[in-house]
């Protein structure tokens, strides 16, 4: 039940304001029919890293360990504007988590001490506070990545929302496989994907005054 709550797009974490780079990709010429491939490519690059960070955070029991994950997460996001957007998402998750589980000591300590607050680490912290497992944190990170792209596609293209949901459903098996893989990652083997084209497009997108999404 709690996993479904956190996966619900109506949960106020701010994800609705982000397209996962889709808006910039469409502006650069990505065809609507290529959006499923775009979502899949994100899962196997950036998504793998986010899932591993979320799983590690969900299994962490010390504030020092969480702050170290913060630094590892931020080091993997070279674009300053994307780091800022990621932090806004992380803060939104923490705000929701502290409302749901106000007496969790580690959640409260992390909210007070984290200066970076990347989304994936915040997600893991909130998942642990809710009594869930690292595998659920990894699955949620991956699902939200794909679902965020699909939701943005509905707003940016002439796409039926049912079709967008079908795209996410088609990725379910891959999400499960990637979530399992993420749970086997330790800090020393944390993925460090580099998607230079997404980074360059993100810089252009952040400088665009007419953009619909924050990222």
């Amino acid at each position: 039940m709690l996993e479904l709550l956190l996966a619900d797009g109506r949960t106020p974490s701010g994800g609705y304001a982000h397209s996962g780079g889709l808006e910039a990709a469409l502006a650069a010429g990505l065809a609507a029919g290529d959006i499923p491939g775009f979502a899949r490519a994100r899962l196997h690059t950036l998504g793998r890293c986010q899932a591993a960070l979320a799983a590690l955070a969900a299994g962490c029991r010390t504030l020092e360990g969480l702050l170290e994950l913060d630094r590892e997460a931020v080091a993997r996001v070279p674009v300053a504007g994307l780091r800022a957007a990621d932090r806004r998402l992380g803060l939104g998750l923490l705000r929701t988590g502290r409302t749901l589980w106000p007496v969790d000591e580690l959640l409260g300590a992390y909210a007070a001490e984290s200066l970076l607050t990347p989304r994936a680490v915040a997600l893991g912290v909130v998942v642990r506070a809710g009594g869930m497992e690292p595998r659920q944190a990894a699955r949620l990170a991956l699902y939200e990545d794909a679902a965020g792209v699909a939701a943005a596609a509905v707003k940016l293209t002439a796409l039926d929302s049912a079709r967008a949901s079908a795209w996410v459903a088609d990725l379910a098996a891959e999400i499960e496989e990637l979530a399992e893989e993420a749970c086997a990652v330790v800090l020393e083997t944390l993925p460090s994907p580099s998607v230079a084209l997404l980074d360059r497009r993100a810089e252009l997108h952040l400088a665009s005054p007419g953009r619909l999404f924050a990222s």
Side-chain angles (χ1 to χ4, degrees), residues 164-178:
S165 296
W167 287 346
V168 178
D170 288 343
L171 292 168
E174 288 174 67
I175 287 173
E176 289 296 336
E177 290 172 4
L178 289 168

Side-chain angles (χ1 to χ4, degrees), residues 46 73-83 192-196 198-200 203:
L46 302 177
V74 168
R76 287 162 170 75
V77 184
V79 179
L82 289 181
R83 291 196 297 272
S192 184
S194 177
V195 189
L198 281 181
D199 291 340
R200 176 56 180 154
E203 290 181 327

Side-chain angles (χ1 to χ4, degrees), residues 137-195:
R139 184 191 295 121
L140 277 169
L142 293 159
Y143 166 77
E144 286 184 354
D145 196 282
V149 170
V154 174
K155 300 179 179 73
L156 293 167
T157 67
L159 175 69
D160 179 74
S161 59
R163 185 58 186 150
S165 296
W167 287 346
V168 178
D170 288 343
L171 292 168
E174 288 174 67
I175 287 173
E176 289 296 336
E177 290 172 4
L178 289 168
E180 182 176 357
E181 175 188 305
C183 291
V185 171
V186 296
L187 190 62
E188 292 74 16
T189 61
L190 188 65
S192 184
S194 177
V195 189

Side-chain angles (χ1 to χ4, degrees), residues 56-77:
L56 285 168
C60 185
R61 296 296 184 267
T62 68
L63 177 60
E64 293 76 13
L66 292 173
L67 297 181
E68 183 176 9
L69 288 174
D70 274 6
R71 294 188 290 271
E72 293 288 343
V74 168
R76 287 162 170 75
V77 184

Side-chain angles (χ1 to χ4, degrees), residues 51-139:
L53 283 164
L56 285 168
C60 185
R61 296 296 184 267
T62 68
L63 177 60
E64 293 76 13
L66 292 173
L67 297 181
E68 183 176 9
L69 288 174
D70 274 6
R71 294 188 290 271
E72 293 288 343
V74 168
R76 287 162 170 75
V77 184
V79 179
L82 289 181
R83 291 196 297 272
D86 196 43
R87 183 168 192 264
R88 288 195 295 272
L89 288 169
L91 290 171
L93 278 167
L94 285 185
R95 187 166 56 250
T96 298
R98 296 201 71 192
T99 300
L100 295 172
W101 300 289
V103 299
D104 187 89
E105 292 184 4
L106 186 55
L107 174 58
Y110 177 75
E113 297 295 330
S114 176
L115 300 177
L116 303 172
T117 326
R119 170 189 165 275
V121 179
L123 176 61
V125 173
V126 170
V127 164
R128 185 210 56 80
M132 291 174 277
E133 300 296 325
R135 174 72 173 265
Q136 292 169 285
R139 184 191 295 121

